[in-house]
């Protein structure tokens, strides 16, 4: 299949897919792989070498692929650059050159070289486009109960490489281990610089304060979040008791209302009068101008 694709047998619509499958199949057989990492500031030019290229090989075929996450894209294939790289990239057998790179260009660039004598070589370059962090967001509960677990989070989505995080309380840098600091030794927390999580377990009254976090990745200046105050408070026992008393009073009033309604017959069924007998007597005669009761109903 790979040979047919190189000869241009399939139609234009299927050729890229066939070449991708063919190249992948060839590259799995005994290819020598080299790998390196390059970091380039955003909006600057970038040169990505093809270390797999061998000038001594006869008529080598070169293919480039771009991998980002689970996505794999043909980059250079069949002797030409694919869209949308044609107007952004210059190709040579040993290098591809970006006029400028953006954060979307971060990923793995794979160069595969196949010679006529079944020689195979492959090289990879992990390109990291450097982007300074943006202003992080500190997710801090405004109040928490002493003795419970409190989780504070710092998030930032633009930095490349991903930033690391630090936390400050009342403008003082919090150490990774509170027991190493006289200022924070009465606190019990864990701090993860990679994820930005600050976890108090358990929370103490000492932990009340103003918190903010900082994101840095050595590209540009560190960025800090807004300040958020957290109050560590005891459980309000009086308030809980009062709420329970009020609830019991409401339930008692409801029960009394139901009992009173039943005692007054509001919920009893009306008596059935369908079986009652009615006796009616027809008057025998009535004189004109005179009225008196001549009929009666007996129930």
């Amino acid at each position: 299949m790979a040979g047919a694709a190189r000869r241009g047998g399939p139609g234009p619509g299927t050729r890229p897919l066939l070449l991708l499958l063919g190249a992948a199949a060839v590259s799995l057989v005994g290819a020598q792989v080299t790998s390196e990492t390059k970091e380039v500031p955003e909006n600057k030019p970038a040169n990505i070498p093809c270390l797999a290229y061998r000038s001594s090989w006869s008529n080598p075929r070169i293919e480039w692929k771009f991998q980002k996450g689970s996505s794999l894209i043909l980059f250079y294939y069949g002797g030409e650059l694919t869209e949308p790289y044609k107007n952004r990239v210059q190709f040579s057998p040993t290098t591809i050159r970006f006029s400028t790179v953006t954060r979307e260009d971060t990923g793995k660039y794979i160069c595969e070289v196949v010679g006529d004598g079944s020689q195979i070589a492959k090289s990879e370059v992990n390109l990291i486009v450097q982007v300074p962090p943006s202003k992080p967001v500190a997710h801090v509960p405004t109040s928490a109960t002493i003795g419970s677990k409190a989780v504070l989070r710092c998030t930032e989505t633009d930095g490349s490489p991903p930033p690391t995080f630090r936390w400050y309380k009342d403008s003082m840098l919090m150490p990774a281990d509170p027991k190493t600091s006289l200022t924070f030794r009465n606190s019990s927390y864990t701090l993860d610089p990679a994820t930005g999580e600050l976890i108090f377990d358990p929370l103490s009254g000492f932990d009340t304060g103003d918190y903010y976090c900082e994101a840095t990745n050595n590209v540009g200046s560190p960025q800090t979040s807004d300040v958020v105050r957290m109050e560590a408070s005891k459980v309000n026992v009086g308030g809980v008791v009062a709420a329970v008393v009020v609830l019991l009073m409401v339930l008692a009033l409801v029960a009394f209302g139901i009992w009173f309604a039943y005692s007054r017959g509001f919920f009893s069924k009306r008596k059935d009068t369908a079986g009652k007998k009615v006796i009616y007597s027809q008057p025998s005669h009535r004189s004109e101008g005179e009225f008196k009761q001549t009929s009666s109903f007996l129930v």
Side-chain angles (χ1 to χ4, degrees):
M1 183 186 297
R6 288 195 296 270
R7 290 191 298 271
T14 58
R15 189 179 178 193
L17 176 60
L18 291 175
L19 270 179
L20 175 59
L21 296 175
V26 171
S27 64
L28 294 176
V29 184
Q32 299 177 352
V33 181
T34 61
S35 181
E36 67 172 287
T37 299
K38 289 180 67 72
E39 294 191 10
V40 179
E42 189 174 30
N43 300 320
K44 298 293 184 181
N47 293 324
I48 302 178
C50 178
L51 300 179
Y53 178 76
R54 305 289 186 270
S55 59
S56 59
W57 289 4
S58 174
N59 193 27
R61 177 174 59 83
I62 303 173
E63 291 180 359
W64 280 92
K65 299 181 180 71
F66 173 59
Q67 183 177 352
K68 189 166 189 174
S70 60
S71 174
L72 186 64
I73 301 171
L74 282 167
F75 187 97
Y76 177 85
Y77 147 79
E80 61 182 18
L81 293 161
T82 61
E83 295 289 351
Y85 299 102
K86 286 185 177 181
N87 298 325
R88 298 184 55 219
V89 177
Q90 296 176 343
F91 169 83
S92 74
T94 58
T95 309
I96 54 174
R97 175 179 173 81
F98 283 85
S99 55
T100 58
V101 289
T102 69
R103 62 194 69 189
E104 298 300 324
D105 295 319
T106 293
K108 181 185 292 185
Y109 293 83
I110 304 167
C111 179
E112 295 180 351
V113 182
V114 180
D116 283 346
S118 296
Q119 305 103 321
I120 301 171
K122 179 180 176 180
S123 63
E124 299 175 349
V125 176
N126 292 301
L127 178 65
I128 299 175
V129 179
Q130 297 174 332
V131 181
S134 58
K135 181 178 180 177
V137 177
H139 305 271
V140 180
T142 56
S143 64
T145 303
I146 293 175
S148 67
K149 179 180 179 180
V151 180
L152 285 65
R153 294 184 176 87
C154 188
T155 58
E156 191 281 333
T157 57
D158 292 330
S160 178
T164 56
F165 301 95
R166 297 193 294 184
W167 279 94
Y168 293 81
K169 178 196 172 191
D170 298 331
S171 300
M172 296 184 64
L173 177 64
M174 301 178 68
D177 183 359
K179 304 308 178 186
T180 62
S181 169
L182 292 176
T183 305
F184 294 96
R185 64 182 178 181
N186 293 325
S187 184
S188 179
Y189 65 79
T190 57
L191 196 159
D192 190 335
T195 63
E197 274 197 345
L198 172 62
I199 301 175
F200 294 92
D201 193 13
L203 188 74
S204 69
F206 173 81
D207 299 321
T208 291
D210 297 325
Y211 290 85
Y212 68 91
C213 62
E214 179 185 77
T216 180
N217 63 355
N218 297 322
V219 182
S221 302
Q223 299 294 315
T224 58
S225 70
D226 292 331
V227 177
V228 183
R229 184 167 183 82
M230 181 177 71
E231 294 285 348
S233 58
K234 295 180 180 179
V235 177
N236 188 355
V237 178
V240 173
V241 173
V244 172
V245 170
V246 170
L247 178 61
L248 291 176
M249 292 177 63
V250 171
L251 292 176
L253 287 173
V254 171
F256 176 78
I258 294 174
W259 171 83
F260 184 81
Y262 268 109
S263 66
R264 297 300 181 188
F266 289 112
F267 294 105
S268 60
K269 295 182 179 179
R270 292 183 177 179
K271 294 181 179 180
D272 186 8
T273 60
K276 302 290 184 180
K277 293 183 178 180
V278 178
I279 301 174
Y280 175 72
S281 60
Q282 182 69 28
S284 55
H285 60 84
R286 183 192 312 174
S287 59
E288 291 187 12
E290 181 182 3
F291 173 83
K292 66 179 179 180
Q293 183 175 351
T294 58
S295 301
S296 64
F297 292 87
L298 177 63
V299 179

